[in-house]
Amino acid sequence: MSVLTKSESKSIDFLRKLGLKQVNHGTSTGLNTEGGRKSIKSHSPVDGAFIGSVTVTNREQYEAVIVKASEAFKVWRNVPAPKRGEIVRQYGEELRKHKDALGRLVSYEMGKSLQEGWGEVQEMIDICDFAVGLSRQLYGLTMHSERASHRMYEQWHPLGIVGIISAFNFPVAVWSWNAALAWVCGNVTVWKASEKTPLCSVACQNILQKVLKANDIPEGVSCIINGDYKVGEYMTKDERVALVSATGSTRMGKIVNATVAARLGKTILELGGNNAIIITPSADLEVVVPATVFGAVGTAGQRCTSTRRLIIHESLYENVKTRLAKAYTQLKIGNPLDTNNHVGPLIDHLAVENYLSAIEKVKAAGGNFVVEGGVLEGFESGCYVKPCIAEVQNEWDIVQHETFAPILYLMKYATIDEAIALQNGVPQGLSSAIMTDSVREAEQFLSVAGSDCGIANVNIGTSGAEIGGAFGGEKETGGGRESGSDAWKAYMRRQTNTINYGRQLPLAQGIKFDL
């Protein structure tokens, strides 16, 4: 039962290197299963070819996965944190060995450029490196007690099972942000990958399980389940899953948040973005153009940090518009595994429909297209579209919503206060940027009265976050934080400890209780 078909001979090498030799991959460890259950078939948006399939996790199998994860947690939590870090270090080394093959799978199954596919695997390697260091830095604080012969301190303990729901646009990196931190903190993970990119999760699991087996670590430390939102509901409703980290649409996030909150569980939510760059009169246009174009068309506009809106000072508006239109004529659209191409396909036909619908809504609202959009002919998958640019008003309904496609909106401003108001004037609050040589404008943008986003950049675009900083946004983006800084604390529970090493029992606040 090979995962390969005759039409995919070009894909054979990197798929085989990742151990993808079977059509149906199981739910807890990525092993082959039989039995005629429902399956998810993965077709590449690159050429429409069938790559392989995974079986959908049913309720009985989900229960088996949770039991396996729970048993693994009892072992894993007692492994010293630096030793847990060593396992993650070894996983990072294996990812280095498989970077080319896994990057090609990401590119082929998701449709992003090969450079971005390799970059995504590099993010996995980087977060492993970060987590290794973190495994020796899970610090608590010590506090002075008001009572004599008492010592107070706090420590951090793992939560247990961490459920991870990831999106198709970053089929491996965002999972690793969560998993690497969760593991060194002593948790075990259950991953429901996007049903649009299921083979990427199987590949990651195959690589990791070799590391776990070589170190005699229970395989339940990392589990995968497959399916649509119904399988995700197993986790969100399960009190045994202490934390659910979900990446996806705002609509999905609101459902996850309400469901998990109803059982007083914890969530990390990374949801929609509607990101803007402000272009000021002093901006260096040699920086503006490449930053804008990469932010708008990278991953075919399917990043949560993609540049959706360009807020341009009226004195530069026509100049910037002309430069962007010229730059768009130089874009090369095609097979993303060809490194000469800048833009690959959208993920599927539904994404194409949403793209076309958004264009029609812009036109109906009165928008003017500087660069026209449309579906490109001559591609088997039917998922390749033209990146486009439209002049709009920020308050239009279509502009207020995130369209996961390469559509860039242009608008003018007169004062910096107006620009910041436009930037903040959407429901989402993920990433933002300002292009300026003015210290005053930059500092105002970064001040408490400036950008209301979780990420605010100066003289770089909205896309391309580094793992060293905490990643996440505000408002309808969900408020979660992943990756660097002290994001690790979300994966642990805080415990305050008081030790009495004296021979008396003084009470706090001077309370007397004599018997």
Side-chain angles (χ1 to χ4, degrees):
M1 295 189 299
S2 174
V3 74
L4 310 171
T5 67
K6 292 180 180 179
S7 64
E8 308 160 314
S9 59
K10 62 182 177 300
S11 309
I12 289 176
D13 287 344
F14 68 78
L15 288 171
R16 285 179 174 166
K17 288 178 181 177
L18 296 169
L20 298 179
K21 299 178 181 179
Q22 309 241 294
V23 171
N24 293 313
H25 295 271
T27 55
S28 65
T29 64
L31 301 177
N32 180 56
T33 59
E34 303 285 348
R37 297 193 317 273
K38 294 181 179 179
S39 65
I40 299 172
K41 294 183 178 180
S42 178
H43 290 83
S44 172
V46 174
D47 54 14
F50 170 71
I51 314 174
S53 65
V54 297
T55 52
V56 173
T57 304
N58 60 31
R59 185 73 207 198
E60 181 181 357
Q61 288 184 315
Y62 172 79
E63 288 296 326
V65 166
I66 294 299
V67 169
K68 180 170 287 189
S70 298
E71 291 301 312
F73 175 60
K74 294 175 184 178
V75 176
W76 185 241
R77 66 186 176 184
N78 288 319
V79 175
K83 298 292 186 182
R84 298 193 294 255
E86 168 60 16
I87 301 302
V88 174
R89 186 196 68 78
Q90 291 181 32
Y91 185 46
E93 288 302 307
E94 288 300 312
L95 289 172
R96 285 177 170 87
K97 297 175 185 177
H98 292 85
K99 179 177 177 179
D100 179 71
L102 186 54
R104 289 179 184 276
L105 175 61
V106 169
S107 179
Y108 190 58
E109 187 174 34
M110 186 269 148
K112 63 174 57 177
S113 74
L114 184 54
Q115 291 288 346
E116 293 179 80
W118 286 329
E120 187 167 342
V121 181
Q122 186 61 49
E123 283 192 57
M124 300 178 74
I125 295 167
D126 291 345
I127 197 63
C128 285
D129 287 350
F130 180 90
V132 172
L134 177 65
S135 68
R136 295 179 182 270
Q137 300 178 74
L138 302 174
Y139 299 136
L141 300 174
T142 59
M143 291 77 74
H144 290 282
S145 173
E146 66 184 62
R147 290 168 284 182
S149 302
H150 282 60
R151 180 167 67 89
M152 290 179 63
Y153 70 98
E154 67 179 23
Q155 58 181 333
W156 296 82
H157 293 305
L159 295 171
I161 299 176
V162 172
I164 304 169
I165 301 173
S166 64
F168 73 86
N169 59 331
F170 280 86
V172 296
V174 174
W175 164 73
S176 71
W177 291 358
N178 287 274
L181 297 194
W183 293 330
V184 296
C185 289
N187 302 291
V188 298
T189 59
V190 178
W191 178 17
K192 194 205 86 64
S194 169
E195 60 269 33
K196 298 182 180 183
T197 51
L199 296 182
C200 286
S201 67
V202 176
C204 292
Q205 187 78 340
N206 286 347
I207 298 169
L208 177 62
Q209 287 299 323
K210 293 178 182 177
V211 174
L212 298 181
K213 185 176 182 179
N215 288 273
D216 197 26
I217 299 296
E219 63 181 3
V221 166
S222 176
C223 303
I224 57 175
I225 56 177
N226 305 308
D228 59 13
Y229 72 94
K230 294 179 182 178
V231 175
E233 285 180 350
Y234 294 162
M235 287 201 302
T236 59
K237 295 179 178 179
D238 192 342
E239 293 184 356
R240 296 167 294 182
V241 180
L243 168 68
V244 176
S245 178
T247 303
S249 69
T250 296
R251 181 192 62 80
M252 178 276 289
K254 289 180 177 180
I255 295 172
V256 170
N257 190 45
T259 303
V260 178
R263 60 177 177 83
L264 297 182
K266 299 177 183 292
T267 56
I268 298 173
L269 300 175
E270 298 295 346
L271 312 176
N274 198 346
N275 317 294
I277 301 177
I278 297 172
I279 312 299
T280 71
S282 64
D284 183 347
L285 298 188
E286 298 305 314
V287 174
V288 166
V289 173
T292 300
V293 175
F294 175 74
V297 309
T299 322
Q302 296 173 112
R303 292 186 177 209
C304 53
T305 55
S306 290
T307 304
R308 310 286 178 201
R309 299 174 296 139
L310 206 59
I311 303 168
I312 311 168
H313 190 268
E314 55 191 13
S315 66
L316 290 179
Y317 186 83
E318 293 300 326
N319 188 5
V320 171
K321 181 173 70 172
T322 300
R323 284 175 178 247
L324 286 175
K326 181 179 179 181
Y328 270 50
T329 64
Q330 300 172 30
L331 291 174
K332 295 178 181 178
I333 307 170
N335 186 330
L337 277 78
D338 181 347
T339 55
N340 291 313
N341 291 324
H342 301 106
V343 185
L346 293 178
I347 186 64
D348 56 22
H349 292 158
L350 178 59
V352 175
E353 291 174 11
N354 291 335
Y355 159 84
L356 293 174
S357 175
I359 289 175
E360 292 306 311
K361 289 178 180 178
V362 170
K363 290 179 178 178
N368 172 56
F369 275 86
V370 178
V371 176
E372 292 286 345
V375 179
L376 287 168
E377 302 296 332
F379 291 95
E380 291 182 63
S381 69
C383 294
Y384 291 81
V385 301
K386 301 175 185 176
C388 56
I389 303 174
E391 297 176 291
V392 301
Q393 297 297 318
N394 198 59
E395 66 272 14
W396 292 352
D397 184 69
I398 184 59
V399 179
Q400 291 285 306
H401 290 84
E402 178 187 43
T403 301
F404 237 45
I407 305 175
L408 177 64
Y409 299 131
L410 308 185
M411 57 195 75
K412 296 178 183 178
Y413 80 92
T415 68
I416 188 63
D417 290 337
E418 179 189 358
I420 292 173
L422 288 169
Q423 141 64 38
N424 294 342
V426 293
Q428 308 84 0
L430 179 52
S431 187
S432 59
I434 188 170
M435 298 291 184
T436 182
D437 281 347
S438 167
V439 173
R440 288 189 175 91
E441 288 180 332
E443 291 294 336
Q444 181 177 348
F445 179 72
L446 300 177
S447 75
V448 67
S451 169
D452 63 3
C453 294
I455 299 170
N457 298 327
V458 177
N459 292 332
I460 62 172
T462 61
S463 193
E466 297 181 31
I467 61 95
F471 180 90
E474 300 301 321
K475 302 190 295 187
E476 288 195 356
T477 302
R481 293 297 185 274
E482 298 169 336
S483 192
S485 186
D486 65 349
W488 63 270
K489 293 181 178 179
Y491 303 86
M492 304 196 81
R493 59 182 177 88
R494 187 196 309 252
Q495 184 181 81
T496 301
N497 307 113
T498 305
I499 300 172
N500 178 3
Y501 57 90
R503 296 188 179 277
Q504 297 181 356
L505 185 66
L507 300 178
Q509 295 86 47
I511 294 174
K512 301 296 183 180
F513 185 73
D514 297 324
L515 293 176

